[in-house]
């Protein structure tokens, strides 16, 4: 079948293990070949903030990989898909962590062609300004089509 099969992967829960002094940055050639200038949300970032994540799938149809954006105290991870000519097909945010503010946390689990994105938003005060600790969780499910598009399930 043409179904996309990725190995089970969890993204966004391993950020505390990143060695910030030893991040391998993307080269200009990688940035260009990955067409990151086309990714909404990445336009403003210099390659010094961008790092290769993992190649999750590579076959005759193309490849699916992740890119991390690492700034002071914030990490965002994007899932990117490419056709077999190397053209960017689709992209989405699959992980986010703010190590300073802790207002939201995004993590993603991938199971075969199913992508489940969980966003937890934290609240530290009520509308009157009294201290509270609340969190609400939103889950959005996507599937990866045989053409490597990410569509809501």
């Amino acid at each position: 079948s043409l179904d996309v099969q990725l190995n089970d992967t969890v993204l966004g829960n391993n950020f505390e293990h990143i060695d910030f002094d030893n991040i391998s940055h993307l080269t200009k050639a990688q940035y260009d070949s990955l067409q990151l200038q086309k990714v909404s949300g990445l336009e403003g970032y210099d390659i010094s903030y961008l790092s290769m994540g993992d190649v999750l799938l590579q076959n005759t149809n193309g490849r699916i990989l992740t890119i991390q954006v690492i700034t002071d105290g914030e990490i965002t991870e994007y899932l990117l898909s490419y056709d077999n000519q190397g053209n960017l097909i689709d992209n989405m945010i699959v992980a986010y962590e703010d190590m300073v503010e802790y207002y939201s946390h995004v993590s993603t689990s991938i199971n075969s062609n199913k992508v489940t994105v969980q966003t937890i938003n934290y609240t530290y005060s009520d509308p009157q300004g009294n201290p509270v600790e609340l969190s609400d969780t939103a889950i959005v499910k996507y599937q990866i089509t045989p053409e490597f598009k990410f569509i809501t399930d």
Side-chain angles (χ1 to χ4, degrees), residues 21 28-29 55 58 60 66 100 104 117 123 131 138-139 146-147:
D21 300 320
K28 181 80 175 87
V55 176
Q58 186 148 7
T60 51
T66 66
V100 183
S104 73
V117 181
T123 309
I139 291 176
E147 300 77 39

Side-chain angles (χ1 to χ4, degrees), residues 102 121-126 130-136:
Y102 301 112
N121 290 309
Y122 300 97
T123 309
Y124 297 109
S125 62
D126 67 17
N130 302 307
V132 294
E133 275 205 37
L134 300 169
S135 67
D136 68 281

Side-chain angles (χ1 to χ4, degrees), residues 40 91-92 109 121 128 152:
S40 169
N91 68 89
M92 62 187 274
S109 60
N121 290 309
Q128 288 72 42
T152 46

Side-chain angles (χ1 to χ4, degrees), residues 79-92:
L79 187 67
L80 303 155
S81 61
Y82 298 85
D83 67 16
N84 60 6
Q85 305 295 305
N87 300 304
L88 179 65
I89 300 292
D90 211 345
N91 68 89
M92 62 187 274

Side-chain angles (χ1 to χ4, degrees), residues 10-83:
V10 175
L11 300 167
N13 290 331
N14 55 348
F15 287 159
E16 63 269 18
H17 305 304
I18 291 179
D19 177 358
F20 284 90
D21 300 320
N22 195 13
I23 293 163
S24 58
H25 301 295
L26 287 186
T27 64
K28 181 80 175 87
Q30 285 174 311
Y31 181 92
D32 291 341
S33 77
L34 293 169
Q35 300 150 58
L36 297 182
Q37 70 283 356
K38 292 183 184 169
V39 177
S40 169
L42 289 185
E43 319 93 329
Y45 289 105
D46 187 80
I47 52 175
S48 62
Y49 294 110
L50 302 175
S51 178
M52 237 356 232
D54 297 306
V55 176
L56 302 178
L57 181 76
Q58 186 148 7
N59 63 27
T60 51
N61 296 328
R63 61 188 177 146
I64 296 175
L65 52 84
T66 66
I67 293 288
Q68 293 175 341
V69 185
I70 301 172
T71 65
D72 283 346
E74 279 189 325
I75 303 175
T76 310
E77 194 158 13
Y78 285 79
L79 187 67
L80 303 155
S81 61
Y82 298 85
D83 67 16

Side-chain angles (χ1 to χ4, degrees), residues 132-150:
V132 294
E133 275 205 37
L134 300 169
S135 67
D136 68 281
T137 301
I139 291 176
V140 184
K141 294 181 184 289
Y142 298 86
Q143 61 172 325
I144 304 173
T145 71
E147 300 77 39
F148 289 3
K149 281 236 172 258
F150 309 141

Side-chain angles (χ1 to χ4, degrees), residues 98-118:
D98 182 334
M99 276 82 80
V100 183
E101 302 280 2
Y102 301 112
Y103 283 120
S104 73
H105 177 264
V106 178
S107 60
T108 294
S109 60
I110 298 175
N111 178 275
S112 187
N113 66 341
K114 304 288 186 202
V115 180
T116 303
V117 181
Q118 173 180 284

